[in-house]
Amino acid sequence: MPTKVIAVANQKGGVGKTTTAVNLAACVAASGRQVLLLDLDPQANATSGVGLEKIEGASAYGPLLGNGSLSDKIKATPFERLDAIPSEVDLCGADVELIRAENHLQRLRLALQPILEAGKYQVALVDCPPSLAVLTLNAFAAADGLVVPLQCEYYALEGLSMLTRVINQLRDSGVNPRLHLFGVVMTMFDARTNLSKQVEGEVRQHFSDVVFETVIPRTTRLAEAPSFGKPIIHYDPYSAGAAAYEVLAGEFCRRLGI
């Protein structure tokens, strides 16, 4: 079965995007699948979140501009079956450089092709920058689908409708005809507040089957885990956050058919 490429994206920061990319990747790997996590965010939080250093020249920057192979950037993480392509600050310049490049929206898709053809991984998860600039659009052009983490707060639906418009534009223009909204994950859910329940209800009403059943709670342990360079299942495997991401990973794999 060919490698499925899933971009984890939301143009709004602070919604649990990288937390979801890291923990979903780790939980899918822990369930026995080979996973590649590609950090496309210049902040490199997914890189440190899986215990890797931010090293100059280690990111996808060179291969995106046609210098070198993306396969050479793959690093093993300390966690079984989970590999990563790290990020670092040089990716900040990629948005400016890529606009001037030929086929500027297809650079990631072309760079990923040899990795996908090698067939080592069952899924590649791409952690996108919190914007809709060229790096994120490259991820969209290379992806089979998008996972959108949505914080349980008032502006959640506005951001999601903007993303839906971008997906439709990329599909209709022929940039990526297979792109679709693969799933919406409700994050930072606080069962004690009416707001969380209200936002969750509205999102489920508008996007029904696309929304994952699993809801990610707001917990201190989830917030602590990145500072130790560990996904939550390796930092505190018996916490509520670990349980939620393990259930989400099961749902994710069933949808993907892996």
Side-chain angles (χ1 to χ4, degrees):
M1 189 175 174
T3 306
K4 294 290 186 185
V5 181
I6 302 293
V8 182
N10 192 323
Q11 72 273 27
K12 189 172 182 298
V15 298
K17 174 184 61 64
T18 298
T19 300
T20 295
V22 165
N23 289 299
L24 188 54
C27 289
V28 172
S31 72
R33 283 90 171 176
Q34 293 287 343
V35 179
L36 177 65
L37 175 63
L38 169 52
D39 190 354
L40 263 198
D41 187 343
Q43 295 173 91
N45 291 334
T47 300
S48 53
V50 292
L52 295 180
E53 298 284 319
K54 301 171 191 178
I55 299 167
E56 194 176 334
S59 77
Y61 177 72
L64 284 173
L65 295 170
N67 304 320
S69 155
L70 195 59
S71 306
D72 295 339
K73 303 295 182 184
I74 297 173
K75 299 275 186 290
T77 72
F79 314 106
E80 208 176 341
R81 292 179 297 277
L82 177 58
D83 292 343
I85 296 174
S87 173
E88 44 106 11
V89 74
D90 68 357
L91 270 178
C92 285
D95 274 328
V96 179
E97 297 282 340
L98 282 170
I99 285 174
R100 297 199 287 259
E102 196 181 344
N103 291 333
H104 69 281
L105 290 180
Q106 303 287 357
R107 304 302 287 226
L108 180 63
R109 186 180 66 79
L110 296 169
L112 267 174
Q113 208 56 46
I115 296 172
L116 304 184
E117 284 169 3
K120 177 182 176 182
Y121 303 102
Q122 282 159 291
V123 61
L125 281 162
V126 185
D127 185 34
C128 299
S131 73
L132 287 174
V134 180
L135 269 178
T136 302
L137 295 178
N138 260 268
F140 289 9
D144 296 296
L146 299 191
V147 165
V148 181
L150 269 199
Q151 188 179 356
C152 293
E153 50 105 89
Y154 266 125
Y155 296 114
L157 276 169
E158 281 180 26
L160 192 50
S161 57
M162 189 187 295
L163 270 173
T164 311
R165 277 204 304 276
V166 172
I167 291 170
N168 291 336
Q169 283 169 358
L170 290 174
R171 214 169 38 207
D172 298 345
S173 66
V175 170
N176 184 355
R178 70 187 186 286
L179 185 64
H180 67 290
L181 183 56
F182 179 77
V184 175
V185 185
M186 302 305 298
T187 61
M188 302 183 187
F189 183 84
D190 187 343
R192 298 167 301 179
T193 68
N194 286 332
L195 178 60
S196 278
K197 293 170 188 166
Q198 190 181 337
V199 172
E200 184 199 4
E202 280 184 29
V203 172
R204 288 194 189 281
Q205 188 183 335
H206 281 81
F207 290 91
S208 58
D209 293 350
V210 180
V211 187
F212 286 104
E213 283 299 315
T214 315
V215 172
I216 307 301
R218 185 189 288 278
T219 75
T220 308
R221 304 300 271 171
L222 263 179
E224 286 172 359
S227 61
F228 292 86
K230 291 181 177 182
I232 189 67
I233 54 162
H234 298 288
Y235 174 63
D236 188 352
Y238 301 109
S239 63
Y245 273 111
E246 283 180 304
V247 176
L248 178 66
E251 225 185 311
F252 176 84
C253 290
R254 282 194 297 280
R255 280 195 193 185
L256 267 188
I258 58 170

